Amino acid sequence: MSEKKLNIKLKIWRQSGPKAVGAFVSYNVSVSPDASFLEMLDELNDGLERKSEIPVTFESDCREGICGTCGLVINGEPHGPMRKIATCQLHMRNFKDGETIYVEPFRAKAFPVIKDLAVDRSAFDKIIQAGGFVSVNTGGVPDANSIPIQKEVSAEAFDSAACIGCGACVAACKNGSAMLFVSAKVSQFALLPQGQPERQKRVESMVAKMDELGFGSCSNTYACEAECPKGISVRNIARLNREYFSAKVKSKNVEV
Ligand code: SF4
């Protein structure tokens, strides 16, 4: 028995380079409902290459929601219409036969378009390089029980550490704010004993780098939490604000 395919109209943002003027280009695809969204784009690109046309540039790596590389705005929503999944975990069965789907890159000042649907998210790497790590001496692996941590605390830190750095929070925010990302990265260390030695310096450096790179301010719309594929909570943003204020007071660097 032949599989019923979905006929989809695509309107894909094509832009030949960072400074080129982009526009939506229409394509028709016939695809299995069981195909993932990225497999659908693979099929589109196979067809374009067979016609000697330039394939659509988009990013992907693990294709299992872990690496944070994929990221498209689908029908106006980062990672598409389903909650708590990355673009690579979205399947075509979530769309209707005959539907028109708009596909765009993440749009934010700090994430310039490289080509078509691929954007430069190295700003996130620069924020991590500014302090999103713990400095530890190498050596033998310590006993797991040598630093007791309350279950509730370790669970909260683990939830924060689930951030995959995809950037959907920035794309979802009308201000292009990176507060959810930065707050998750600050929280995962601020909650644990291992993060204490560099706690103050970390939050000051990461927030300064975030501001320097052109991310906007948080105005508490919670769009970031709604679109986050890992369900990172805005509670982290409240913690980031407390961490930042506390660090500024301790360094006697508060502007009044
Ligand atoms: S907080 Fe969520 S949306 Fe933002 S980078 Fe992390 S995983 Fe992606």
Side-chain angles (χ1 to χ4, degrees), residues 50-76:
R50 278 197 294 276
K51 292 189 280 182
S52 299
E53 293 180 25
I54 300 172
V56 177
T57 298
F58 64 94
E59 287 190 278
S60 71
D61 193 357
C62 76
R63 297 201 176 199
E64 51 186 335
I66 295 172
C67 72
T69 306
C70 67
L72 303 172
V73 175
I74 300 164
N75 285 345

PDB file of all heavy atoms in Angstrom, residues 50-76:
ATOM      1  N   ARG A  50      19.201  18.356  -8.045  1.00  0.00           N
ATOM      2  CA  ARG A  50      18.969  17.628  -9.301  1.00  0.00           C
ATOM      3  C   ARG A  50      18.644  18.598 -10.438  1.00  0.00           C
ATOM      4  O   ARG A  50      18.939  18.339 -11.588  1.00  0.00           O
ATOM      5  CB  ARG A  50      17.823  16.614  -9.124  1.00  0.00           C
ATOM      6  CG  ARG A  50      18.269  15.298  -8.462  1.00  0.00           C
ATOM      7  CD  ARG A  50      17.239  14.185  -8.670  1.00  0.00           C
ATOM      8  NE  ARG A  50      15.989  14.464  -7.995  1.00  0.00           N
ATOM      9  CZ  ARG A  50      15.751  14.206  -6.700  1.00  0.00           C
ATOM     10  NH1 ARG A  50      16.683  13.646  -5.970  1.00  0.00           N
ATOM     11  NH2 ARG A  50      14.591  14.505  -6.169  1.00  0.00           N
ATOM     12  N   LYS A  51      18.058  19.735 -10.088  1.00  0.00           N
ATOM     13  CA  LYS A  51      17.737  20.749 -11.125  1.00  0.00           C
ATOM     14  C   LYS A  51      18.862  21.775 -11.277  1.00  0.00           C
ATOM     15  O   LYS A  51      18.681  22.820 -11.887  1.00  0.00           O
ATOM     16  CB  LYS A  51      16.441  21.471 -10.745  1.00  0.00           C
ATOM     17  CG  LYS A  51      15.198  20.583 -10.817  1.00  0.00           C
ATOM     18  CD  LYS A  51      13.914  21.381 -10.639  1.00  0.00           C
ATOM     19  CE  LYS A  51      13.660  21.676  -9.176  1.00  0.00           C
ATOM     20  NZ  LYS A  51      12.430  22.385  -8.885  1.00  0.00           N
ATOM     21  N   SER A  52      20.017  21.501 -10.627  1.00  0.00           N
ATOM     22  CA  SER A  52      21.178  22.408 -10.655  1.00  0.00           C
ATOM     23  C   SER A  52      20.843  23.779 -10.058  1.00  0.00           C
ATOM     24  O   SER A  52      21.397  24.803 -10.484  1.00  0.00           O
ATOM     25  CB  SER A  52      21.727  22.577 -12.088  1.00  0.00           C
ATOM     26  OG  SER A  52      22.153  21.341 -12.574  1.00  0.00           O
ATOM     27  N   GLU A  53      19.928  23.786  -9.097  1.00  0.00           N
ATOM     28  CA  GLU A  53      19.627  25.026  -8.378  1.00  0.00           C
ATOM     29  C   GLU A  53      20.353  25.018  -7.035  1.00  0.00           C
ATOM     30  O   GLU A  53      20.760  23.960  -6.537  1.00  0.00           O
ATOM     31  CB  GLU A  53      18.116  25.172  -8.166  1.00  0.00           C
ATOM     32  CG  GLU A  53      17.356  25.377  -9.478  1.00  0.00           C
ATOM     33  CD  GLU A  53      15.857  25.527  -9.253  1.00  0.00           C
ATOM     34  OE1 GLU A  53      15.445  25.937  -8.155  1.00  0.00           O
ATOM     35  OE2 GLU A  53      15.109  25.215 -10.203  1.00  0.00           O
ATOM     36  N   ILE A  54      20.518  26.196  -6.469  1.00  0.00           N
ATOM     37  CA  ILE A  54      21.273  26.298  -5.202  1.00  0.00           C
ATOM     38  C   ILE A  54      20.406  25.816  -4.040  1.00  0.00           C
ATOM     39  O   ILE A  54      19.286  26.306  -3.853  1.00  0.00           O
ATOM     40  CB  ILE A  54      21.721  27.754  -4.961  1.00  0.00           C
ATOM     41  CG1 ILE A  54      22.626  28.213  -6.105  1.00  0.00           C
ATOM     42  CG2 ILE A  54      22.435  27.892  -3.622  1.00  0.00           C
ATOM     43  CD1 ILE A  54      22.964  29.685  -6.081  1.00  0.00           C
ATOM     44  N   PRO A  55      20.899  24.816  -3.270  1.00  0.00           N
ATOM     45  CA  PRO A  55      20.097  24.313  -2.146  1.00  0.00           C
ATOM     46  C   PRO A  55      19.947  25.361  -1.043  1.00  0.00           C
ATOM     47  O   PRO A  55      20.731  26.311  -0.953  1.00  0.00           O
ATOM     48  CB  PRO A  55      20.896  23.096  -1.652  1.00  0.00           C
ATOM     49  CG  PRO A  55      22.267  23.284  -2.175  1.00  0.00           C
ATOM     50  CD  PRO A  55      22.169  24.118  -3.416  1.00  0.00           C
ATOM     51  N   VAL A  56      18.953  25.153  -0.201  1.00  0.00           N
ATOM     52  CA  VAL A  56      18.697  26.060   0.923  1.00  0.00           C
ATOM     53  C   VAL A  56      19.704  25.769   2.037  1.00  0.00           C
ATOM     54  O   VAL A  56      19.867  24.619   2.460  1.00  0.00           O
ATOM     55  CB  VAL A  56      17.263  25.851   1.462  1.00  0.00           C
ATOM     56  CG1 VAL A  56      17.011  26.741   2.675  1.00  0.00           C
ATOM     57  CG2 VAL A  56      16.226  26.092   0.371  1.00  0.00           C
ATOM     58  N   THR A  57      20.379  26.815   2.514  1.00  0.00           N
ATOM     59  CA  THR A  57      21.334  26.636   3.614  1.00  0.00           C
ATOM     60  C   THR A  57      20.594  26.662   4.947  1.00  0.00           C
ATOM     61  O   THR A  57      19.847  27.596   5.240  1.00  0.00           O
ATOM     62  CB  THR A  57      22.387  27.766   3.592  1.00  0.00           C
ATOM     63  OG1 THR A  57      23.104  27.690   2.363  1.00  0.00           O
ATOM     64  CG2 THR A  57      23.353  27.635   4.756  1.00  0.00           C
ATOM     65  N   PHE A  58      20.771  25.593   5.717  1.00  0.00           N
ATOM     66  CA  PHE A  58      20.252  25.575   7.086  1.00  0.00           C
ATOM     67  C   PHE A  58      21.218  24.742   7.926  1.00  0.00           C
ATOM     68  O   PHE A  58      22.022  23.981   7.394  1.00  0.00           O
ATOM     69  CB  PHE A  58      18.827  25.000   7.154  1.00  0.00           C
ATOM     70  CG  PHE A  58      18.704  23.552   6.749  1.00  0.00           C
ATOM     71  CD1 PHE A  58      18.744  22.543   7.695  1.00  0.00           C
ATOM     72  CD2 PHE A  58      18.559  23.192   5.417  1.00  0.00           C
ATOM     73  CE1 PHE A  58      18.631  21.196   7.334  1.00  0.00           C
ATOM     74  CE2 PHE A  58      18.450  21.856   5.038  1.00  0.00           C
ATOM     75  CZ  PHE A  58      18.483  20.859   6.003  1.00  0.00           C
ATOM     76  N   GLU A  59      21.132  24.907   9.241  1.00  0.00           N
ATOM     77  CA  GLU A  59      22.078  24.213  10.124  1.00  0.00           C
ATOM     78  C   GLU A  59      21.420  23.036  10.828  1.00  0.00           C
ATOM     79  O   GLU A  59      20.252  23.105  11.216  1.00  0.00           O
ATOM     80  CB  GLU A  59      22.598  25.177  11.191  1.00  0.00           C
ATOM     81  CG  GLU A  59      23.563  26.201  10.665  1.00  0.00           C
ATOM     82  CD  GLU A  59      24.211  26.949  11.808  1.00  0.00           C
ATOM     83  OE1 GLU A  59      23.581  27.885  12.315  1.00  0.00           O
ATOM     84  OE2 GLU A  59      25.334  26.584  12.189  1.00  0.00           O
ATOM     85  N   SER A  60      22.203  21.979  11.045  1.00  0.00           N
ATOM     86  CA  SER A  60      21.756  20.864  11.889  1.00  0.00           C
ATOM     87  C   SER A  60      22.982  20.044  12.251  1.00  0.00           C
ATOM     88  O   SER A  60      24.012  20.131  11.583  1.00  0.00           O
ATOM     89  CB  SER A  60      20.749  19.977  11.160  1.00  0.00           C
ATOM     90  OG  SER A  60      21.377  19.229  10.138  1.00  0.00           O
ATOM     91  N   ASP A  61      22.860  19.287  13.326  1.00  0.00           N
ATOM     92  CA  ASP A  61      23.966  18.399  13.693  1.00  0.00           C
ATOM     93  C   ASP A  61      23.403  17.105  14.275  1.00  0.00           C
ATOM     94  O   ASP A  61      23.184  16.139  13.560  1.00  0.00           O
ATOM     95  CB  ASP A  61      24.914  19.101  14.666  1.00  0.00           C
ATOM     96  CG  ASP A  61      26.237  18.360  14.836  1.00  0.00           C
ATOM     97  OD1 ASP A  61      26.370  17.273  14.241  1.00  0.00           O
ATOM     98  OD2 ASP A  61      27.123  18.839  15.543  1.00  0.00           O
ATOM     99  N   CYS A  62      23.102  17.074  15.568  1.00  0.00           N
ATOM    100  CA  CYS A  62      22.714  15.800  16.192  1.00  0.00           C
ATOM    101  C   CYS A  62      21.359  15.287  15.718  1.00  0.00           C
ATOM    102  O   CYS A  62      21.124  14.100  15.676  1.00  0.00           O
ATOM    103  CB  CYS A  62      22.731  15.928  17.718  1.00  0.00           C
ATOM    104  SG  CYS A  62      21.316  16.820  18.405  1.00  0.00           S
ATOM    105  N   ARG A  63      20.456  16.178  15.407  1.00  0.00           N
ATOM    106  CA  ARG A  63      19.089  15.855  14.986  1.00  0.00           C
ATOM    107  C   ARG A  63      18.344  15.024  16.029  1.00  0.00           C
ATOM    108  O   ARG A  63      17.509  14.179  15.696  1.00  0.00           O
ATOM    109  CB  ARG A  63      19.076  15.165  13.617  1.00  0.00           C
ATOM    110  CG  ARG A  63      19.620  16.065  12.509  1.00  0.00           C
ATOM    111  CD  ARG A  63      19.180  15.671  11.133  1.00  0.00           C
ATOM    112  NE  ARG A  63      19.669  16.630  10.131  1.00  0.00           N
ATOM    113  CZ  ARG A  63      19.158  16.761   8.926  1.00  0.00           C
ATOM    114  NH1 ARG A  63      18.144  16.014   8.552  1.00  0.00           N
ATOM    115  NH2 ARG A  63      19.655  17.646   8.079  1.00  0.00           N
ATOM    116  N   GLU A  64      18.665  15.213  17.294  1.00  0.00           N
ATOM    117  CA  GLU A  64      17.905  14.569  18.373  1.00  0.00           C
ATOM    118  C   GLU A  64      17.702  15.517  19.558  1.00  0.00           C
ATOM    119  O   GLU A  64      17.568  15.088  20.690  1.00  0.00           O
ATOM    120  CB  GLU A  64      18.531  13.240  18.801  1.00  0.00           C
ATOM    121  CG  GLU A  64      20.002  13.311  19.121  1.00  0.00           C
ATOM    122  CD  GLU A  64      20.586  11.928  19.397  1.00  0.00           C
ATOM    123  OE1 GLU A  64      19.842  11.012  19.790  1.00  0.00           O
ATOM    124  OE2 GLU A  64      21.807  11.766  19.224  1.00  0.00           O
ATOM    125  N   GLY A  65      17.702  16.818  19.279  1.00  0.00           N
ATOM    126  CA  GLY A  65      17.342  17.791  20.310  1.00  0.00           C
ATOM    127  C   GLY A  65      18.383  18.016  21.381  1.00  0.00           C
ATOM    128  O   GLY A  65      18.056  18.498  22.464  1.00  0.00           O
ATOM    129  N   ILE A  66      19.634  17.695  21.100  1.00  0.00           N
ATOM    130  CA  ILE A  66      20.676  17.809  22.126  1.00  0.00           C
ATOM    131  C   ILE A  66      21.645  18.945  21.835  1.00  0.00           C
ATOM    132  O   ILE A  66      22.043  19.672  22.742  1.00  0.00           O
ATOM    133  CB  ILE A  66      21.458  16.475  22.236  1.00  0.00           C
ATOM    134  CG1 ILE A  66      20.538  15.369  22.731  1.00  0.00           C
ATOM    135  CG2 ILE A  66      22.656  16.630  23.185  1.00  0.00           C
ATOM    136  CD1 ILE A  66      21.164  13.989  22.683  1.00  0.00           C
ATOM    137  N   CYS A  67      22.025  19.124  20.575  1.00  0.00           N
ATOM    138  CA  CYS A  67      23.166  20.015  20.304  1.00  0.00           C
ATOM    139  C   CYS A  67      22.784  21.490  20.211  1.00  0.00           C
ATOM    140  O   CYS A  67      23.633  22.358  20.416  1.00  0.00           O
ATOM    141  CB  CYS A  67      23.886  19.579  19.032  1.00  0.00           C
ATOM    142  SG  CYS A  67      22.975  19.907  17.518  1.00  0.00           S
ATOM    143  N   GLY A  68      21.539  21.800  19.882  1.00  0.00           N
ATOM    144  CA  GLY A  68      21.120  23.205  19.784  1.00  0.00           C
ATOM    145  C   GLY A  68      21.505  23.873  18.479  1.00  0.00           C
ATOM    146  O   GLY A  68      21.391  25.086  18.345  1.00  0.00           O
ATOM    147  N   THR A  69      21.972  23.100  17.509  1.00  0.00           N
ATOM    148  CA  THR A  69      22.431  23.694  16.250  1.00  0.00           C
ATOM    149  C   THR A  69      21.277  24.123  15.351  1.00  0.00           C
ATOM    150  O   THR A  69      21.334  25.171  14.722  1.00  0.00           O
ATOM    151  CB  THR A  69      23.318  22.689  15.482  1.00  0.00           C
ATOM    152  OG1 THR A  69      24.354  22.252  16.347  1.00  0.00           O
ATOM    153  CG2 THR A  69      23.913  23.310  14.241  1.00  0.00           C
ATOM    154  N   CYS A  70      20.255  23.288  15.250  1.00  0.00           N
ATOM    155  CA  CYS A  70      19.140  23.621  14.358  1.00  0.00           C
ATOM    156  C   CYS A  70      18.306  24.722  14.995  1.00  0.00           C
ATOM    157  O   CYS A  70      18.240  24.833  16.210  1.00  0.00           O
ATOM    158  CB  CYS A  70      18.270  22.397  14.091  1.00  0.00           C
ATOM    159  SG  CYS A  70      17.385  21.809  15.543  1.00  0.00           S
ATOM    160  N   GLY A  71      17.695  25.505  14.219  1.00  0.00           N
ATOM    161  CA  GLY A  71      16.844  26.546  14.768  1.00  0.00           C
ATOM    162  C   GLY A  71      16.251  27.340  13.634  1.00  0.00           C
ATOM    163  O   GLY A  71      16.958  28.049  12.928  1.00  0.00           O
ATOM    164  N   LEU A  72      14.950  27.173  13.424  1.00  0.00           N
ATOM    165  CA  LEU A  72      14.265  27.898  12.358  1.00  0.00           C
ATOM    166  C   LEU A  72      13.014  28.524  12.940  1.00  0.00           C
ATOM    167  O   LEU A  72      12.448  28.008  13.906  1.00  0.00           O
ATOM    168  CB  LEU A  72      13.857  26.924  11.240  1.00  0.00           C
ATOM    169  CG  LEU A  72      14.983  26.101  10.595  1.00  0.00           C
ATOM    170  CD1 LEU A  72      14.393  25.062   9.657  1.00  0.00           C
ATOM    171  CD2 LEU A  72      15.953  27.014   9.861  1.00  0.00           C
ATOM    172  N   VAL A  73      12.606  29.626  12.362  1.00  0.00           N
ATOM    173  CA  VAL A  73      11.313  30.204  12.722  1.00  0.00           C
ATOM    174  C   VAL A  73      10.298  29.644  11.726  1.00  0.00           C
ATOM    175  O   VAL A  73      10.410  29.870  10.525  1.00  0.00           O
ATOM    176  CB  VAL A  73      11.353  31.739  12.680  1.00  0.00           C
ATOM    177  CG1 VAL A  73       9.967  32.312  12.941  1.00  0.00           C
ATOM    178  CG2 VAL A  73      12.344  32.265  13.713  1.00  0.00           C
ATOM    179  N   ILE A  74       9.364  28.848  12.241  1.00  0.00           N
ATOM    180  CA  ILE A  74       8.399  28.153  11.386  1.00  0.00           C
ATOM    181  C   ILE A  74       7.008  28.708  11.679  1.00  0.00           C
ATOM    182  O   ILE A  74       6.537  28.641  12.829  1.00  0.00           O
ATOM    183  CB  ILE A  74       8.459  26.633  11.648  1.00  0.00           C
ATOM    184  CG1 ILE A  74       9.877  26.120  11.338  1.00  0.00           C
ATOM    185  CG2 ILE A  74       7.413  25.897  10.821  1.00  0.00           C
ATOM    186  CD1 ILE A  74      10.180  24.756  11.912  1.00  0.00           C
ATOM    187  N   ASN A  75       6.405  29.277  10.654  1.00  0.00           N
ATOM    188  CA  ASN A  75       5.107  29.955  10.823  1.00  0.00           C
ATOM    189  C   ASN A  75       5.145  30.931  11.999  1.00  0.00           C
ATOM    190  O   ASN A  75       4.223  30.987  12.832  1.00  0.00           O
ATOM    191  CB  ASN A  75       3.967  28.943  10.976  1.00  0.00           C
ATOM    192  CG  ASN A  75       3.612  28.289   9.645  1.00  0.00           C
ATOM    193  OD1 ASN A  75       4.008  28.772   8.578  1.00  0.00           O
ATOM    194  ND2 ASN A  75       2.886  27.195   9.692  1.00  0.00           N
ATOM    195  N   GLY A  76       6.233  31.661  12.088  1.00  0.00           N
ATOM    196  CA  GLY A  76       6.349  32.740  13.080  1.00  0.00           C
ATOM    197  C   GLY A  76       6.817  32.316  14.450  1.00  0.00           C
ATOM    198  O   GLY A  76       6.965  33.163  15.330  1.00  0.00           O
TER     199      GLY A  76
END
